[in-house]
Amino acid sequence: EVQVDELQRLLAGMEKEHRTLLLKMKEGEAELARLRSVEGDKLAEQDRSAQLEKEVAMLREKIHHLDDMLKSQQRKVRQMIEQLQNSKTVIQAKDAVIQELKERVAYLEAENLEMHDRIEHLIEKQVSRGGHSSRVRSKSEYVSSKRLAGPKPLPLIRVVET
């Protein structure tokens, strides 16, 4: 009986120790799970951090590429503006030449009209003086040029020498 009591006491102590060990084991497992969770979170954070760093590097590269393209486009626009300004300057110079030529044409037309008037006057004098010719000549026989139809010529200015 003493041995049975001793064995029962030992058995009860072992059951108590078993329960204590089970409790400690569960606490250890919970702590291990928590630590694994924390480490997992750290790994997830590290992975996310690495992914974000890759994205930032890629975005920096894209921004650098876009800056290069923007600078290139700005250079092209500046060149186009310069070409446009140069073209405007050339056009203005040609317009000035055209205006000068128009003025010269108007001056020559006025001189031409004056010459026509002088020829008509001389013809009338010859016809009225002696009538050397039996037929009257038309103006077109003496004048080979025609008056141009177009913009109104400048007024005729006669210079009288004294």
Side-chain angles (χ1 to χ4, degrees):
E1 251 181 59
V2 173
Q3 279 183 343
V4 169
D5 283 340
E6 183 69 25
L7 284 176
Q8 282 180 345
R9 188 180 61 78
L10 285 173
L11 189 61
M14 286 177 17
E15 283 178 9
K16 185 179 177 182
E17 189 176 334
H18 180 265
R19 278 180 284 190
T20 306
L21 289 175
L22 276 176
L23 185 62
K24 282 185 178 181
M25 185 183 79
K26 286 182 181 179
E27 287 175 0
E29 284 178 348
E31 180 68 19
L32 182 62
R34 187 186 66 77
L35 288 174
R36 283 184 182 159
S37 171
V38 168
E39 286 180 21
D41 290 346
K42 286 182 181 178
L43 287 175
E45 287 176 8
Q46 287 175 349
D47 288 345
R48 179 69 178 146
S49 175
Q51 182 184 3
L52 289 174
E53 286 177 8
K54 286 179 184 177
E55 286 180 19
V56 166
M58 192 169 59
L59 290 172
R60 281 186 182 144
E61 186 177 328
K62 284 183 179 181
I63 288 171
H64 181 71
H65 180 68
L66 289 174
D67 283 343
D68 289 345
M69 287 177 56
L70 181 63
K71 288 176 184 175
S72 173
Q73 292 299 322
Q74 286 173 341
R75 278 193 300 271
K76 286 180 183 178
V77 167
R78 271 189 247 118
Q79 288 173 350
M80 290 174 70
I81 289 171
E82 287 176 12
Q83 287 177 349
L84 183 62
Q85 288 173 341
N86 290 341
S87 295
K88 283 183 179 180
T89 303
V90 168
I91 288 172
Q92 287 174 349
K94 288 185 179 183
D95 282 347
V97 169
I98 289 171
Q99 186 60 35
E100 183 181 326
L101 291 173
K102 283 181 179 179
E103 289 172 4
R104 286 174 63 189
V105 165
Y107 174 77
L108 291 173
E109 284 177 346
E111 276 189 349
N112 191 21
L113 286 174
E114 186 179 348
M115 292 295 218
H116 280 283
D117 290 345
R118 285 184 183 176
I119 290 174
E120 287 176 13
H121 181 67
L122 288 175
I123 291 173
E124 288 174 5
K125 276 186 177 179
Q126 286 180 356
V127 169
S128 65
R129 266 195 214 155
H132 294 291
S133 171
S134 61
R135 78 179 180 102
V136 177
R137 295 182 184 168
S138 69
K139 293 178 190 174
S140 62
E141 290 180 31
Y142 292 103
V143 180
S144 62
S145 64
K146 296 181 181 178
R147 292 187 185 183
L148 297 175
K152 188 175 181 182
L154 295 176
L156 182 61
I157 301 173
R158 293 187 185 248
V159 177
V160 179
E161 294 181 21
T162 55

